[in-house]
């Protein structure tokens, strides 16, 4: 999953750079509730801004699992933290968080690709307008993915139900 996430980050930057040759100067980059362009920037400014946004989120999603390795357990607020962050369970917990962050990043980079396509298409029309049904479907899909991922991560950090074990990661003494 990490490779797919990184490839989608690179794809977003490549699309932003590739769009520069076909965009008007200035290009529409924001659209109001009436679907009319209400903010513009140069194509080069768009590439810098959008690439910076991709790098920021990639860094954030890659950094969180690393921070969980180096910061004290008390720095994190998560369900059943003492159980999941103890020595016995910490490697499995860190792997779950990595997978979650990669999944979140993949969903966000797919949304970014859709937004870039919509921006490209909008700037090829006169006047620039988004295709709102596609925008709303993409946003709804992203929010649905975030809901599923959030529920899954919270459920994955429930305490296990196993007979004969305490919830500290060690077997009961007879």
């Amino acid at each position: 999953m990490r490779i797919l996430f990184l490839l989608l980050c690179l794809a977003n930057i490549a699309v932003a750079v590739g769009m520069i040759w076909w965009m008007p100067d200035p290009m529409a980059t924001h659209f109001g509730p009436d679907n009319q362009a209400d903010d513009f920037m140069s194509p080069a400014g768009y590439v810098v801004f959008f690439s910076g946004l991709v790098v920021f989120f990639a860094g954030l999603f890659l950094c969180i699992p690393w921070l969980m390795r180096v910061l004290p357990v008390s720095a994190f607020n998560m369900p059943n933290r003492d159980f999941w962050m103890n020595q016995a369970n910490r490697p499995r917990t860190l792997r779950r968080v990595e997978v979650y962050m990669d999944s979140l990043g993949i969903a966000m980079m797919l949304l970014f690709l859709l937004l870039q396509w919509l921006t490209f298409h909008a700037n090829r029309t006169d006047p620039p307008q988004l295709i709102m049904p596609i925008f709303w479907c993409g946003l709804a899909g992203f929010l649905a993915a975030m809901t599923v991922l959030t529920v899954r991560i919270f459920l994955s950090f429930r305490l296990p139900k196993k007979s004969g074990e305490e919830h500290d990661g060690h077997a009961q003494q007879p």
Side-chain angles (χ1 to χ4, degrees), residues 7 22 25 36 83 106 109 115 123 155 162 169 171:
L7 287 173
W22 289 282
D25 191 3
Q36 299 300 311
F83 176 79
I106 288 167
M109 291 304 130
L115 293 176
N123 278 281
L155 291 177
K162 292 185 180 180

Side-chain angles (χ1 to χ4, degrees), residues 95-106:
R95 181 67 190 132
R96 284 181 182 176
V97 171
E98 284 177 0
V99 168
Y100 175 74
M101 289 291 119
D102 289 348
S103 300
L104 181 62
I106 288 167

